[in-house]
Amino acid sequence: YAEDPENNFFPSPGRINVLRAPAGPGVRDDSGVFEGWNVPMEYDPLLSKLITWGADREESLSRMRRALDEYEVDGIKTNISFFRRMMNHPGFINGTFDTGFIDRLLADEWILSEAPAADSLLQATLGAALAARRRATLADATPNSAGSAWKLAGRHRLLDRSV
């Protein structure tokens, strides 16, 4: 939704300057908006419906977390950050929620904090370390080393997929 969770979910009309929707296995984004589109004040602020699925709840939640982390919208406020935080709440993870769940979250106010999750920091650190290692390995590769630069690049792509 084009709304600001930090301002009582007030609508956030305006121009979408950047729009990068997530994709991949078990991820579906149903949307009718595009980069450059103006979100009007007069209509429903729904931008898209993000759906994930998997073999079980844990896999579905993992895919949703990844998809929300990949979702990028700039130029307007959205409720993506709210959903990112909600996905880490124990009650949501365990499936022990009801129709009053979001009201209770908002009353606790922890859900609106912008503190980065420890998992996100760990992922960013690991990603930076892998990228630095890949650059160093490819730069040092010679025809007489552990293999060609092409083979090393392929091995690194496989390593990236397993993380």
Side-chain angles (χ1 to χ4, degrees):
Y1 275 83
E3 53 189 25
D4 185 358
E6 295 176 12
N7 187 18
N8 203 28
F9 293 88
F10 196 76
S12 179
R15 185 174 192 272
I16 298 175
N17 297 324
V18 174
L19 179 63
R20 303 283 182 272
V27 175
R28 177 177 165 176
D29 181 58
D30 288 347
S31 176
V33 301
F34 52 90
E35 205 168 277
W37 188 66
N38 282 307
V39 178
M41 180 65 134
E42 301 82 22
Y43 298 102
D44 185 340
L46 178 68
L47 300 177
S48 79
K49 294 179 187 176
L50 182 62
I51 303 121
T52 61
W53 64 91
D56 54 25
R57 183 173 177 81
E58 185 177 330
E59 183 178 41
S60 298
L61 289 174
S62 176
R63 287 178 172 174
M64 180 60 80
R65 286 185 192 102
R66 179 187 56 79
L68 287 168
D69 285 344
E70 289 178 5
Y71 224 127
E72 183 181 355
V73 181
D74 187 42
I76 60 170
K77 300 267 187 177
T78 70
N79 59 357
I80 294 172
S81 62
F82 172 79
F83 287 118
R84 285 180 183 142
R85 290 185 295 274
M86 187 181 75
M87 298 298 292
N88 291 311
H89 188 277
F92 190 84
I93 293 168
N94 297 329
T96 55
F97 54 88
D98 55 35
T99 57
F101 179 71
I102 291 177
D103 288 335
R104 287 191 301 278
L105 288 179
L106 295 173
D108 288 345
E109 294 186 16
W110 75 268
I111 195 79
L112 296 178
S113 70
E114 286 291 339
D119 286 347
S120 296
L121 292 174
L122 177 61
Q123 289 172 359
T125 303
L126 289 173
L130 284 170
R133 181 169 179 338
R134 183 179 331 122
R135 280 192 304 272
T137 303
L138 290 175
D140 293 340
T142 64
N144 297 327
S145 67
S148 73
W150 288 105
K151 285 184 181 178
L152 288 172
R155 290 179 187 143
H156 285 290
R157 278 200 192 101
L158 289 174
L159 176 65
D160 289 344
R161 288 184 191 152
S162 65
V163 174

